[in-house]
Amino acid sequence: MTDYDALVIGGGQSGLAAAHALSTRGLRTGLLEAGDEPVGAWPHYYDSLTLFSPAKYSALPGLAFPGDPQRYPRRDEVVDYLRRYAAGLDVDIVTGSRVETVTYDTGVYTAQTAAGASATAPVLIAATGYFGSPNIPPLPGLETFGGTVLHTSDYREPAALAGQNIIVVGAGNSAVQIATELTEVASVTLASRRPPKFLPQRPFGRDVHFWLTITGVDRAPVGPWLPAPPTQQVLDTGRYRRALASGNPQPRPLFTGLDDRRVFWPDGAATTADTVLLGTGYRPHLPYLTGLGALDETGRPRHRQGLSTTHLGLGYVGLEWQRSLSSASLRGVGRDAGRVADRVVAAARSRRALPIRP
């Protein structure tokens, strides 16, 4: 058993930002990461993934993203950046440590890993993101579909699906991006309950993130007041809007049923498909907190702006709309991490669970 002042679960962008915030506040911090290195889910995203924000707006606290600040970094550049960031932290990073359970007793959290190790601390920040829990909605006939069902978390590159008839389900950035990419090698339909909504990537000649930053919209603390997350808009230079307008991929309302490889549409038409690829998002990946009583019946954390409403000293970083539009992004997790760290540390010190240090 290893004792720390603070524990972070998850070694992606959110966990690294949280570990940085805790260590710079004088806490001896341990970070438990399930993978082989502290880069989160980034190596598992599809090969062509490019950030929607320029490098200037895609950095964690204390380390600028290298290279041209106006370029849009690719997936592997983000992985390299996170490696460098982790190497510069004054934190005990333990990889290959998948946390299975967390318990809480007399002011102390204990994280038990699949390998049988454990670590304790009076402060714990859960920062395991979303990638581990793909959202598979109950779509009509999905269980009887005779072809292949994939989620965007399974997708890497188009060659594996070449020559197929493919239905991509979704209207967000990843669904539209992947559907358009697949048209190079396959026949693709983009099916969604509502048509995609587009947001210009560079209004008035500047990237949209410039405008979000100078207006304060990017950091406005509106997340806790939203009854439901807003519909995701697709950032677009015009490429995706043109592709859908040309019918390649073909946009359609969501199918009404699937039977073997037949697909039934609201207008009465029937087609065939080899693969249904779900661009239907993710849910918070927090299975290790199930027995703690910190989650609601849907598996989502009970929190207010990242602070647990069920347990003192427990916080979250990296939740969508946790506090603002940017809460789950590279550019926003650092702000949330600092705020959450201040509050969970104060809570622990108020009950004398932590020493008071400068």
Side-chain angles (χ1 to χ4, degrees):
M1 183 177 292
T2 306
D3 298 323
Y4 297 100
D5 293 336
L7 271 176
V8 177
I9 302 178
Q13 62 198 37
S14 302
L16 294 175
H20 174 273
L22 292 165
S23 66
T24 55
R25 284 158 176 77
L27 275 66
R28 193 168 61 88
T29 303
L31 185 152
L32 305 179
E33 161 58 29
D36 295 332
E37 55 180 340
V39 293
W42 281 96
H44 306 292
Y45 290 126
Y46 51 98
D47 294 352
S48 64
L49 177 63
T50 300
L51 288 185
F52 305 118
S53 56
K56 179 179 180 178
Y57 303 102
S58 302
L60 298 176
L63 182 66
F65 211 106
D68 179 1
Q70 299 305 322
R71 80 186 196 287
Y72 297 92
R74 296 176 67 87
R75 179 199 65 185
D76 290 348
E77 292 180 84
V78 178
V79 173
D80 289 340
Y81 171 80
L82 294 178
R83 287 185 184 124
R84 290 195 299 274
Y85 194 86
L89 293 178
D90 183 18
V91 171
D92 186 10
I93 297 176
V94 186
T95 58
S97 297
R98 182 177 300 280
V99 175
E100 290 194 328
T101 60
V102 170
T103 57
Y104 180 73
D105 184 44
T106 59
V108 175
Y109 294 94
T110 299
Q112 189 78 32
T113 74
S118 62
T120 66
V123 166
L124 185 142
I125 292 183
T128 38
Y130 287 74
F131 191 80
S133 296
N135 180 40
I136 311 296
L139 299 177
L142 191 64
E143 69 282 356
T144 61
F145 180 59
T148 301
V149 177
L150 300 174
H151 188 271
T152 50
S153 59
D154 304 308
Y155 175 75
R156 295 295 176 272
E157 47 83 28
L161 301 176
Q164 294 191 16
N165 292 321
I166 302 169
I167 298 172
V168 177
V169 178
N173 278 296
S174 294
V176 172
Q177 207 176 71
I178 290 171
T180 304
E181 177 177 83
L182 282 168
T183 61
E184 300 171 6
V185 299
S187 176
V188 184
T189 299
L190 180 71
S192 56
R193 297 188 189 279
R194 290 172 293 278
K197 294 184 177 181
F198 296 95
L199 181 66
Q201 181 79 60
R202 299 186 63 82
F204 306 107
R206 304 292 294 265
D207 184 86
V208 67
H209 294 88
F210 167 82
W211 301 109
L212 292 173
T213 300
I214 66 168
T215 60
V217 170
D218 206 43
R219 62 174 65 209
V222 298
W225 311 106
L226 296 173
T231 301
Q232 185 185 31
Q233 293 181 298
V234 178
L235 285 172
D236 187 20
T237 60
R239 175 191 177 192
Y240 301 123
R241 190 189 295 269
R242 288 192 299 269
L244 289 171
S246 72
N248 197 27
Q250 181 184 8
R252 301 189 77 150
L254 185 66
F255 46 80
T256 58
L258 301 169
D259 184 22
D260 194 14
R261 295 193 181 221
R262 298 181 71 201
V263 185
F264 304 98
W265 301 99
D267 61 3
T271 60
T272 61
D274 302 298
T275 295
V276 172
L277 197 160
L278 303 175
T280 48
Y282 300 83
R283 296 181 179 276
H285 186 64
L286 300 163
Y288 49 88
L289 296 181
T290 301
L292 195 64
L295 310 179
D296 66 18
E297 61 279 359
T298 70
R300 299 179 185 278
R302 301 182 188 274
H303 75 100
R304 182 76 174 175
Q305 300 187 43
L307 301 176
S308 173
T309 57
T310 63
H311 292 74
L312 285 174
L314 173 62
Y316 304 92
V317 175
L319 301 174
E320 290 183 352
W321 289 98
Q322 174 173 312
R323 178 170 167 80
S324 69
L325 167 67
S326 59
S327 282
S329 69
L330 271 166
R331 69 186 187 276
V333 291
R335 286 193 294 268
D336 282 5
R339 187 176 185 279
V340 169
D342 282 340
R343 284 155 177 76
V344 293
V345 170
R349 285 179 175 155
S350 71
R351 63 181 196 273
R352 302 179 183 274
L354 276 175
I356 296 185
R357 300 186 181 120

